[in-house]
Amino acid sequence: MFLSFLLSACATQTSKKIDSQIQGDVYTGTDTVEYLADGVPDRVFFATNESVLTTASRETLRKQAAWLRKNPEVTVVLEGHADERGTREYNLALGERRANAAKDYLMTYGISSSRVSVISYGKERPVDSGSNPLAWSKNRRSVTVKAN
Amino acid sequence: MKNKIRLLFYILLILFPFKSLALIEVDITRGNLSPLPLAVSSLSSSENDKEALKKELDIKDLGLEISKIVENNLKKSGLFNPLNKDAFLQKPDIAHLKPRFEDWALIKAQALITGKVNFQDEKLRVEFRLWDVLAGKEMLALAFTTVPKNWRRVGHIISDKVYERLTGEKGYFDTRIIYVSEKGPKTQRIKKLAIMDQDGFNTKYLTLGNELVLTPRFNPTNQMVTYLSYFKNLPRVYLLDIETGMQEVVGDFPGMTFAPRFSPDGKKIIMSFAMDGNSDIYTMDLENRIVERITNHPSIDTSPSYSPDGKYIAFNSDRSGYQQIYVMKSDGTKVKRISFGNGLYGTPVWSPRGDLIAFTKLHKGKFYIGVMRTNGKGERLLTENYYQEAPSWSPNGRVLIFYRETKTNSKGEGFSAKLWSIDLTGYNERLVETETDASDPSWSSLLSN
């Protein structure tokens, strides 16, 4: 009796923890995030099969754009990724679409397309090797990487 | 190219013409619940020939080894049950001249394969006979001459001839598989192109693993391969001649090209080109280098595959909102969605027989390999798993090879990728053994006919 109570409490806690890191299928945690500069996260996350930027993603990209405007000599590569739950070829296309969604947004905030290149890795380079919704949500991403 | 291969191999086919009223027939259209029991006798050779071949190839009894190749091939087809040699009553050399059919019937063999191996003028000469045990008749007799180092191929060709004689359809044993060899942690996989005989022997690595490589595919008419390489971090479709090792980028595209495949005549490569977030399908003619755009749609159009007559192209697109399979004419007109079942559909691959399209399906968190008719009707799911995709047809259209990835545990450990095969009937699912982890298999055409 006591044991089962403990177990169920534990399960609730875990799912709460995941819930707080995924909203509407999009990763909102900071586990894997690196920073281009103080307060400038390097990546944005996507929902399954989607390339739409969330409010949080747009905020991140505006910070990146501001940083890029301040550092006009910097060029970047946007690396688009997909999770493992899709066919390899479709995921390559999806990664490209995601990275371009991020690129388009940077461009609308005044970053020249000549400073931004794009590469898709599809499902080839996950950051989290887990086979669960949280891991997949971290892997559906576009990462802005300094190229010079 | 095909002539070159034929020349290299120099097969002398001596066909003893006869018509037999054989009783044996193997129906390959149904699940093979009772594979045909047959005896593959060791191929006999004189002591002198054995000695000479041992010197040449460092193999003690080549005739025995060739018979094992045949046994292994026929067993793995799921249609035949090769009997244990320990039970054989007749010696190989005598059986090859005149089998005592009662002896073979006694151990319940319905067919018998016998043969003889010679070594003369630096050439390996192999003859074999296929016998119908119950009718007491010879069904097939053939002889091959080749260079000794091709001895494994002799075993595969015998297997093909036996398969063809007993099923009425071409075999698929004298073939190779090109695939991606994988090593290392899931987050940083090292991938190399690898090629092996269909039975897993003679593995060779074609790239070093310095750059990511994906989705190699054979030219159906020769030994060229097209694949995706991230050389210099520029993902592009490449063309590779596996005989010479020469390779080149296909076309001059200002962005990623991927999902390549040859046209059935081997003269074009069809692939996707991604630009500004949109992937469309293009072809490039390998002779005149002319590039043609086939689709023009803001959705993702990828994984194109020609029909064997070259008149149609199957591909997947998310133009309906989700990944589904479409068929169009080869000029890009008359696009028609064919997959309407529940779930997502991808990687359509047209059967070499023309009547079916194999695909990958994702539904409720499970991946399936299945087939449907070219109009989308008659969907049949052959196998269900955590993750599997990318079917490739055997050249006779009877077997599919694909790859499967495992689910990792809570610590993210336990990832593996392996090749598997399954019959079109949905039976005979088998692990295809490879030296390393493996994915993206592509089956070659028959090397000899």
Side-chain angles (χ1 to χ4, degrees):
Chain A
M1 182 67 184
F2 177 69
L3 194 70
S4 76
F5 173 73
L6 202 87
L7 278 174
S8 73
C10 207
T12 322
Q13 271 220 327
T14 324
S15 80
K16 243 188 201 153
K17 194 179 156 218
I18 292 173
D19 282 351
S20 68
Q21 289 182 77
I22 305 180
Q23 271 170 27
D25 199 29
V26 179
Y27 183 67
T28 53
T30 52
D31 251 18
T32 57
V33 178
E34 291 173 27
Y35 291 85
L36 292 163
D38 203 21
V40 187
D42 70 338
R43 64 195 62 197
V44 295
F45 300 96
F46 299 88
T48 305
N49 271 322
E50 287 292 344
S51 55
V52 177
L53 298 170
T54 61
T55 311
S57 297
R58 288 198 295 268
E59 195 189 319
T60 296
L61 290 167
R62 282 196 299 273
K63 287 178 185 164
Q64 290 186 7
W67 174 74
L68 282 165
R69 280 196 306 272
K70 261 187 261 164
N71 298 279
E73 76 293 347
V74 173
T75 60
V76 290
V77 182
L78 302 189
E79 299 178 348
H81 299 268
D83 66 34
E84 64 179 359
R85 306 304 287 162
T87 58
R88 193 185 308 289
E89 292 177 337
Y90 182 81
N91 276 351
L92 287 170
L94 186 58
E96 205 264 351
R97 194 194 251 173
R98 284 175 176 158
N100 271 286
K103 179 182 174 179
D104 287 348
Y105 199 76
L106 291 179
M107 283 165 67
T108 59
Y109 279 81
I111 307 305
S112 157
S113 73
S114 63
R115 293 175 66 195
V116 185
S117 59
V118 155
I119 187 169
S120 172
Y121 286 100
K123 65 170 183 133
E124 304 306 315
R125 290 286 177 263
V127 281
D128 189 321
S129 52
S131 295
N132 55 69
L134 180 60
W136 299 329
S137 73
K138 291 180 198 169
N139 293 334
R140 294 188 297 268
R141 68 203 193 274
S142 169
V143 184
T144 303
V145 179
K146 267 179 76 174
N148 59 345
Chain B
M1 198 69 196
K2 205 158 199 182
N3 282 338
K4 195 176 144 200
I5 290 164
R6 230 174 249 156
L7 255 173
L8 271 175
F9 195 43
Y10 189 62
I11 305 161
L12 237 166
L13 293 175
I14 307 162
L15 197 64
F16 299 88
F18 66 93
K19 271 251 181 262
S20 76
L21 298 162
L23 302 170
I24 316 174
E25 246 177 56
V26 178
D27 184 353
I28 60 178
T29 59
R30 301 203 315 215
N32 39 293
L33 299 170
S34 52
L36 183 91
L38 94 185
V40 186
S41 175
S42 177
L43 278 57
S44 71
S45 47
S46 72
E47 287 306 317
N48 276 350
D49 283 341
K50 257 188 202 161
E51 202 53 43
L53 282 164
K54 193 182 168 216
K55 251 188 179 166
E56 183 77 20
L57 294 167
D58 199 24
I59 293 167
K60 203 168 77 187
D61 185 347
L62 191 70
L64 177 64
E65 295 305 317
I66 292 175
S67 75
K68 283 183 187 166
I69 294 173
V70 176
E71 275 178 350
N72 183 44
N73 282 339
L74 294 178
K75 182 162 192 263
K76 281 188 180 166
S77 78
L79 301 172
F80 304 97
N81 174 26
L83 300 168
N84 190 333
K85 281 184 165 66
D86 293 344
F88 297 180
L89 297 170
Q90 215 176 4
K91 286 230 166 75
D93 49 340
I94 304 166
H96 184 55
L97 290 173
K98 182 154 190 11
R100 211 163 40 240
F101 293 110
E102 316 88 78
D103 283 2
W104 297 100
L106 197 67
I107 62 165
K108 304 270 192 292
Q110 292 191 38
L112 167 67
I113 297 163
T114 64
K116 198 171 143 187
V117 176
N118 292 114
F119 187 55
Q120 55 195 32
D121 307 329
E122 304 299 305
K123 289 263 162 62
L124 175 69
R125 184 178 178 280
V126 179
E127 59 177 62
F128 82 96
R129 294 197 175 103
L130 171 66
W131 308 86
D132 183 332
V133 172
L134 301 182
K137 282 186 168 160
E138 183 184 282
M139 294 178 80
L140 183 63
L142 291 167
F144 315 99
T145 306
T146 183
V147 291
K149 72 174 172 63
N150 273 339
W151 67 275
R152 292 201 68 88
R153 284 196 59 200
V154 172
H156 295 314
I157 292 171
I158 293 173
S159 310
D160 281 327
K161 296 297 171 192
V162 169
Y163 181 99
E164 187 174 354
R165 186 67 184 84
L166 294 177
T167 67
E169 300 204 19
K170 288 259 183 214
Y172 53 85
F173 303 112
D174 187 24
T175 55
R176 299 201 275 184
I177 310 284
I178 192 160
Y179 63 96
V180 171
S181 156
E182 303 191 3
K183 266 185 184 166
K186 193 176 174 184
T187 51
Q188 281 297 327
R189 284 297 252 190
I190 292 168
K191 299 197 173 189
K192 299 176 186 180
L193 288 191
I195 190 169
M196 64 182 187
D197 293 352
Q198 147 282 131
D199 62 350
F201 283 79
N202 292 325
T203 301
K204 288 190 194 82
Y205 296 91
L206 305 174
T207 62
L208 297 170
N210 295 331
E211 59 274 325
L212 182 61
V213 291
L214 302 169
T215 63
R217 272 94 193 226
F218 270 113
N219 186 319
T221 67
N222 59 34
Q223 295 299 301
M224 302 290 276
V225 163
T226 182
Y227 70 104
L228 171 59
S229 171
Y230 276 68
F231 183 62
K232 291 186 175 168
N233 268 335
L234 295 171
R236 295 290 185 276
V237 169
Y238 282 72
L239 185 64
L240 167 69
D241 184 331
I242 49 179
E243 307 275 319
T244 64
M246 294 279 284
Q247 53 181 315
E248 57 174 307
V249 181
V250 175
D252 182 22
F253 291 88
M256 175 172 71
T257 47
F258 62 109
R261 238 175 242 284
F262 285 95
S263 59
D265 62 8
K267 290 179 177 161
K268 279 183 186 174
I269 287 178
I270 189 163
M271 64 202 147
S272 282
F273 164 50
M275 186 72 192
D276 299 333
N278 180 31
S279 296
D280 277 316
I281 293 168
Y282 288 72
T283 58
M284 193 183 90
D285 189 307
L286 293 172
E287 275 163 21
N288 58 25
R289 307 272 142 175
I290 289 174
V291 170
E292 267 186 89
R293 185 177 193 150
I294 307 296
T295 65
N296 191 345
H297 196 282
S299 66
I300 289 173
D301 293 343
T302 190
S303 300
S305 165
Y306 276 101
S307 62
D309 62 9
K311 288 181 181 161
Y312 298 93
I313 295 163
F315 64 105
N316 64 220
S317 173
D318 61 359
R319 58 187 63 191
S320 71
Y322 296 97
Q323 194 183 0
Q324 295 291 341
I325 297 173
Y326 293 75
V327 167
M328 61 187 167
K329 290 180 76 174
S330 58
D331 62 1
T333 62
K334 302 230 162 95
V335 179
K336 211 179 131 206
R337 178 172 163 184
I338 64 160
S339 63
F340 289 96
N342 293 321
L344 305 184
Y345 290 79
T347 73
V349 193
W350 219 296
S351 153
R353 303 157 70 90
D355 54 343
L356 293 171
I357 290 173
F359 58 83
T360 306
K361 172 173 175 158
L362 168 58
H363 182 49
K364 290 192 174 165
K366 292 275 186 193
F367 281 79
Y368 301 82
I369 302 292
V371 292
M372 56 173 72
R373 292 204 293 277
T374 60
N375 60 5
K377 301 250 160 57
E379 174 178 319
R380 255 187 326 119
L381 299 177
L382 305 179
T383 163
E384 174 197 305
N385 208 268
Y386 170 72
Y387 185 88
Q388 54 191 352
E389 68 142 334
S392 171
W393 293 91
S394 65
N396 70 351
R398 282 291 166 196
V399 184
L400 288 161
I401 190 168
F402 54 93
Y403 79 94
R404 213 171 246 181
E405 288 175 355
T406 53
K407 192 173 183 169
T408 56
N409 65 17
S410 57
K411 290 177 192 154
E413 299 159 340
F415 178 72
S416 79
K418 300 280 180 201
L419 305 187
W420 288 78
S421 70
I422 192 164
D423 282 14
L424 183 52
T425 55
Y427 289 89
N428 199 31
E429 184 177 291
R430 277 172 191 274
L431 175 70
V432 179
E433 295 205 27
T434 44
E435 290 182 353
T436 61
D437 267 17
S439 60
D440 292 358
S442 169
W443 212 316
S444 79
S445 302
L446 278 173
L447 299 177
S448 57
N449 283 303

